[in-house]
Amino acid sequence: MDRRHHPLSRLLTLAGLAAGPLLVVGVFFLLPVSGMVAQGFVVDGRFAPGEVLEVLARPRVRRVVWFTLWSAAAGTALTLLLGVPTAYALYRLRLPGRAVLRAALLVPFVLPTVVVGVAFRQLIGEAGPLGGLGLDGTPVAIIAALVFFNLAVVVRTVGSSWESLDPRPAEAAAALGAAPLRVFLTVTLPALRGAVVSAASVVFLFCATAFGVVLVLGGLRYATVETEIYLLTNNLLDLQAAAALSLLQLLVVTVLLVVAHRARSRRAAPIDRRTPAPARPGRGDLPALAATALALVLVALPLGTLLAGSLRVGEGWGLDNYRALGTTGSGRALVVPVTEALGNSLRTAVDATWMSLAMGLLVAVVVTRRSRSTVERRVRAGLDGLFMLPLGVSAVTLGFGFLITLDQPPVDLRDSPLLVPIAQALVALPLVVRTIVPVLAGIDDRQRQAAASLGASPLRILASIDLAALRQPLLAAGGFAFAVSLGEFGATSFLARAEHPTVPVVIFRLIGSPGLDNLGMALAASVVLAGATAVVMLLVERLRVPGLGGF
């Protein structure tokens, strides 16, 4: 037997490839999270697991958990209702400016959640265009912001699968007299079920762990598990209660990731990069076009209000708020100017991007190689799930876990400038992996076998086959990582030093400081950040491989 195909040899090779990412995830994710969760089980130096149940039985905690569940469920349902027809219109119909429209819908997903909260506050506040509706400070505002933030997940995940779907079965059903709705329910939807379930589970995850949106729009009255963890750690120093909620959140995240993994595995239809040509819109496509128009309005209205607010100066208009970005704000609200914070954000995002790309490429290679035994297949599936965990674990939990676990040699990194980019790289890692994995999985393994039979080494095969197919997807994954890192707020709010803040951190400080000048600066900084992410997302969309690109 060829040594390369021996089960033990393959497992050792698998372990060697996964060793680096496992070490990073173990030290910078599992250790901080487990250290944070352990706080709930240790009371006055003794092991007391019953204290966790006591915390979860508190009336306020029950209210927080219930609000988290029902608001996430409502946000997920509305996102699917709006996102699925929009995915059809933008991926299966021939519309002018499709790439620009898809990039526009991606912008909210990579915006800092605190910026999303500020944009909706400007829209529905007393002085906003929709102020008369009385939505400020209500669950409706929070759910609308969650739909705004997560719409891109459904559009991109379902749209990518829909784009590569063979249209002939649906055409045959229609030719036999089936109505459009019946064709969708009996032919198209079953083919898309895996993508829809995967998207729904991820959206529910993001809704349940939303931080800045709920922090800005909900305050203390409407708190989710995520914002409650922040309140308990940052304001009340009740680490035991925060750890109990982190444990509950970790269990829910694990279940949802298992559901998403099984849904992805059921999307077994082979990917054909020769995607069907988009069709010309017809009368039957009017509902999908209407949903797309509504989605674009939902995205444009808060961002337009944000832009208008940043240009508002007293009773007139001007660029004063943008010029003020070079100052520390009214009453010295900031330690450093916003322009300096922008430089910090860019440098940090660059470091986080190369870190997440290096780890993500190794992880993608590990989880997509063909398994030759049940044990090997299970190991790869377990590794895939492990590296997806940062997708939904509270960034607040991760950030605070850094502070309480990485404070002693040999991993005393509290003052290290790499701490923030490492945390941001872990947040971006799942998106990088999910961008690269479909491309590697779509490569015919017979190409690798043919190269190996001609004497090519594993490294030569990796370079000539895998990396050749990954040129554009790697750049797209890097764009995702850069945009996500640029706007990351949860973990960074704990880890960024006062003299080296990032833009999301200074925005939050500005909106919490008195004075209209500080609010204007916050709006201007939000527009700058939104513009930067929009440019990055437009480039990502241009680099997208047709038929691929689901989160």
Side-chain angles (χ1 to χ4, degrees):
M1 179 184 293
D2 191 334
R3 290 184 178 180
R4 290 178 297 179
H5 299 310
H6 192 279
L8 180 58
S9 175
R10 290 182 61 84
L11 287 175
L12 290 175
T13 302
L14 176 61
L17 288 172
L22 279 175
L23 179 63
V24 173
V25 171
V27 173
F28 296 108
F29 177 74
L30 296 180
L31 179 61
V33 171
S34 61
M36 179 65 182
V37 171
Q39 297 289 325
F41 292 94
V42 179
V43 181
D44 297 329
R46 61 182 178 84
F47 182 65
E51 299 291 335
V52 173
L53 296 177
E54 183 180 333
V55 168
L56 297 179
R58 295 177 184 175
R60 176 172 171 83
V61 170
R62 290 203 303 268
R63 289 195 302 271
V64 167
V65 172
W66 170 240
F67 179 75
T68 302
L69 291 175
W70 82 257
S71 63
T76 302
L78 290 174
T79 305
L80 286 173
L81 190 63
L82 189 59
V84 171
T86 301
Y88 168 76
L90 293 183
Y91 285 83
R92 291 302 295 261
L93 297 181
R94 191 185 308 160
L95 299 178
R98 283 197 313 162
V100 175
L101 295 177
R102 290 195 294 228
L105 290 180
L106 274 173
V107 171
F109 179 71
V110 292
L111 280 179
T113 53
V114 65
V115 172
V116 175
V118 171
F120 270 82
R121 176 60 61 82
Q122 286 295 112
L123 178 64
I124 63 177
E126 291 184 4
L130 302 182
L133 298 179
L135 299 177
D136 194 12
T138 67
V140 174
I142 296 174
I143 293 171
L146 292 177
V147 175
F148 168 88
F149 184 74
N150 290 295
L151 185 62
V153 178
V154 174
V155 172
R156 193 172 178 86
T157 304
V158 177
S160 298
S161 294
W162 214 329
E163 186 179 33
S164 60
L165 210 61
D166 187 348
R168 288 174 295 183
E171 292 170 353
L176 292 174
L181 181 60
R182 185 175 178 83
V183 171
F184 174 76
L185 294 177
T186 60
V187 179
T188 306
L189 187 58
L192 294 174
R193 185 181 294 117
V196 172
V197 173
S198 179
S201 59
V202 173
V203 169
F204 186 91
L205 194 67
F206 287 151
C207 289
T209 57
F211 179 51
V213 168
V214 183
L215 192 65
V216 174
L217 296 177
L220 295 177
R221 184 179 179 186
Y222 296 108
T224 60
V225 170
E226 184 88 347
T227 58
E228 190 72 2
I229 292 172
Y230 176 81
L231 175 66
L232 291 168
T233 53
N234 196 52
N235 293 6
L236 303 179
L237 295 179
D238 188 351
L239 299 185
Q240 179 192 353
L245 287 175
S246 297
L247 179 61
L248 176 64
Q249 189 180 56
L250 185 60
L251 293 174
V252 173
V253 165
T254 302
V255 171
L256 287 173
L257 288 177
V258 169
V259 171
H261 174 75
R262 290 185 175 179
R264 285 195 302 271
S265 66
R266 286 199 297 268
R267 293 165 62 185
I271 294 170
D272 185 0
R273 296 188 185 173
R274 295 169 299 174
T275 55
R280 189 184 301 275
R283 185 173 300 177
D285 298 320
L286 288 178
L289 294 175
T292 305
L294 181 59
L296 292 171
V297 169
L298 177 65
V299 169
L301 200 55
L303 295 179
T305 306
L306 185 69
L307 176 61
S310 71
L311 295 172
R312 193 73 180 174
V313 182
E315 297 298 323
W317 305 88
L319 298 175
D320 293 19
N321 292 324
Y322 290 89
R323 296 189 186 98
L325 297 181
T327 71
T328 55
S330 177
R332 297 189 62 85
L334 303 175
V335 177
V336 300
V338 177
T339 50
E340 186 174 331
L342 180 60
N344 295 334
S345 289
L346 293 173
R347 286 190 295 271
T348 301
V350 168
D351 288 337
T353 299
W354 70 257
M355 290 177 187
S356 60
L357 281 177
M359 287 192 295
L361 181 58
L362 279 176
V363 171
V365 169
V366 167
V367 302
T368 56
R369 282 297 183 265
R370 183 181 178 184
S371 299
R372 298 182 182 274
S373 67
T374 302
V375 173
E376 188 179 347
R377 184 170 60 253
R378 289 176 178 174
V379 169
R380 292 187 193 277
L383 289 172
D384 188 22
L386 174 64
F387 291 118
M388 289 299 102
L389 277 178
L391 186 69
V393 172
S394 166
V396 173
T397 297
L398 181 63
F400 199 80
F402 269 41
L403 296 181
I404 63 176
T405 57
L406 304 182
D407 59 346
Q408 296 178 6
V411 284
D412 185 1
L413 299 173
R414 288 175 300 176
D415 296 325
S416 172
L418 290 177
L419 198 58
V420 174
I422 288 173
Q424 294 182 356
L426 286 172
V427 173
L429 176 63
L431 295 178
V432 171
V433 173
R434 290 272 70 85
T435 303
I436 297 175
V437 160
V439 181
L440 285 181
I443 297 175
D444 192 336
D445 199 49
R446 289 174 295 185
Q447 297 181 41
R448 302 187 184 101
Q449 294 170 2
S453 66
L454 293 174
S457 66
L459 286 179
R460 178 71 179 271
I461 295 172
L462 180 67
S464 60
I465 297 177
D466 297 77
L467 292 182
L470 282 175
R471 288 172 184 167
Q472 282 187 279
L474 272 177
L475 290 173
F480 268 125
F482 185 83
V484 169
S485 301
L486 201 61
E488 204 285 320
F489 175 64
T492 309
S493 63
F494 279 93
L495 301 175
R497 290 177 289 180
E499 64 275 16
H500 295 293
T502 60
V503 175
V505 172
V506 299
I507 290 172
F508 186 68
R509 290 177 183 170
L510 285 169
I511 63 175
S513 301
L516 291 177
D517 292 340
N518 290 329
L519 176 60
M521 284 180 61
L523 299 179
S526 299
V527 171
V528 170
L529 202 54
T533 54
V535 171
V536 173
M537 285 299 96
L538 184 58
L539 293 175
V540 166
E541 184 58 34
R542 291 180 66 87
L543 293 169
R544 191 183 65 86
V545 177
L548 300 176
F551 292 104

